Amino acid sequence: MSEQNTSNLDATPLYAMNPVDRFSDRVGDYVKYRPSYPQAAIERVLAGLSPSQLIAADIGAGTGIAARLLAEKGVRVIAIEPNAPMRQAAAPHALVEFRDGTAETTGLADAAVDLVTCFQSFHWFDPEPTLLEFRRILTEEGRLAVVWNERDRHDKFTAEYTHLIKVASGYHPAEQRRMAIEPLLRSRLFADVQQYRFAYQQRLDFDGVVGRAMSTSYIPRAGTAYERLIADLRQLYANNCKEDGFVTLVYTTSVFLTQVR
């Protein structure tokens, strides 16, 4: 990618990069190869609350990975997801109800939920109207949780995998998540943002390594960059796989918790 094109990407906010439809051709890989989240992170999100009495809105729910984890704790979850193929691919759960909607316009009533969660999604939202919407739908005692799995650059294999993803994506700005939390930290609608970190690992065979890469919306699925990425991933896997044929991606799960001000 040229320097000019890279600069154009950097200048364009992620919410202007077609966040609704960009995952439509990734659904199969997303279902199979997206990482889950550590139980400790889910427990931290729910700490001090009574799960069976909660109504949560999981925003940008995707195929419901996090929504089902919350539901397994007894939370009733309204999973808001604007992408129809993602909703249709979601495994059902008795306590999870999928609805069409966006972070900026959820379609929920005022003070409808006790908890809003954003797992691996907040960076795709337009922050100002999103935070106003979250404040509107939360109760006066409401909690907001923003969660990301970040690849751990201290792990050699994970660092090398991350480098290949960055190169193949043309150094897409979605790889930089740290700035995404800044609007929440500055917001006058929410108070006392606390961050917690948890370790998580994902074991993958070679198909899993490729599938995990292809589940990322800004990775090419054809052409020279795609072919180069597959060759590089094959070499990386060969250099690092264990006798059982698996490699491990290492993550740090960051949980940001805040209350309605």
Side-chain angles (χ1 to χ4, degrees):
M1 178 173 290
S2 72
E3 183 177 345
Q4 181 179 0
N5 288 340
T6 301
S7 298
N8 290 340
L9 274 179
D10 290 340
T12 305
L14 295 182
Y15 61 80
M17 296 183 182
N18 188 25
V20 173
D21 296 322
R22 64 183 304 120
F23 286 96
S24 294
D25 64 348
R26 312 282 168 154
V27 172
D29 289 320
Y30 202 102
V31 169
K32 291 181 181 179
Y33 301 118
R34 274 281 165 153
S36 186
Y37 301 91
Q39 284 296 316
I42 302 301
E43 291 167 2
R44 172 51 63 183
V45 169
L46 299 175
L49 304 177
S50 300
S52 63
Q53 300 175 18
L54 292 179
I55 300 176
D58 185 35
I59 311 296
T63 58
I65 295 171
R68 287 189 295 275
L69 292 176
L70 292 168
E72 287 167 6
K73 299 293 186 181
V75 181
R76 179 189 161 198
V77 183
I78 303 170
I80 303 295
E81 172 52 52
N83 184 283
M86 298 285 270
R87 294 196 307 271
Q88 293 161 5
H93 191 288
L95 292 179
V96 179
E97 175 191 356
F98 268 83
R99 297 186 188 178
D100 185 8
T102 67
E104 299 84 357
T105 309
T106 63
L108 298 176
D110 293 353
V113 298
D114 311 288
L115 172 67
V116 168
T117 61
C118 307
F119 284 80
Q120 217 72 19
S121 59
F122 188 76
H123 53 294
W124 291 112
F125 305 156
D126 188 350
E128 184 174 350
T130 289
L131 292 174
L132 284 169
E133 179 73 347
F134 289 176
R135 177 63 186 87
R136 184 187 69 79
I137 67 176
L138 278 165
T139 63
E140 289 301 321
E141 302 295 323
R143 176 179 296 181
L144 170 61
V146 176
V147 183
W148 281 290
N149 280 329
E150 299 283 2
R151 294 187 294 271
D152 187 346
R153 276 44 166 203
H154 295 98
D155 175 75
K156 180 177 179 295
F157 172 78
T158 306
E160 292 178 1
Y161 171 90
T162 296
H163 175 70
L164 296 181
I165 293 298
K166 285 185 173 182
V167 171
S169 73
Y171 295 89
H172 195 280
E175 281 290 305
Q176 302 298 326
R177 305 264 172 72
R178 292 182 180 180
M179 296 302 293
I181 199 64
E182 289 297 323
L184 178 59
L185 299 179
R186 297 192 304 266
S187 176
R188 297 181 180 180
L189 301 173
F190 296 90
D192 191 27
V193 179
Q194 300 290 319
Q195 182 178 9
Y196 305 88
R197 294 183 177 90
F198 304 92
Y200 190 67
Q201 296 185 352
Q202 183 184 24
R203 295 180 72 247
L204 299 166
D205 59 12
F206 178 67
D207 288 342
V209 172
V210 174
R212 175 66 184 91
M214 292 301 105
S215 75
T216 304
S217 68
Y218 41 89
I219 293 298
R221 296 180 68 87
T224 302
Y226 166 80
E227 294 171 0
R228 179 73 264 168
L229 175 61
I230 297 303
D232 288 342
L233 288 175
R234 189 180 303 278
Q235 187 62 55
L236 178 65
Y237 168 81
N239 291 343
N240 289 273
C241 70
K242 307 300 182 184
E243 292 182 1
D244 62 0
F246 283 82
V247 291
T248 301
L249 277 175
V250 178
Y251 301 91
T252 296
T253 303
S254 291
V255 176
F256 295 88
L257 292 181
T258 184
Q259 300 292 135
V260 167
R261 189 183 292 274

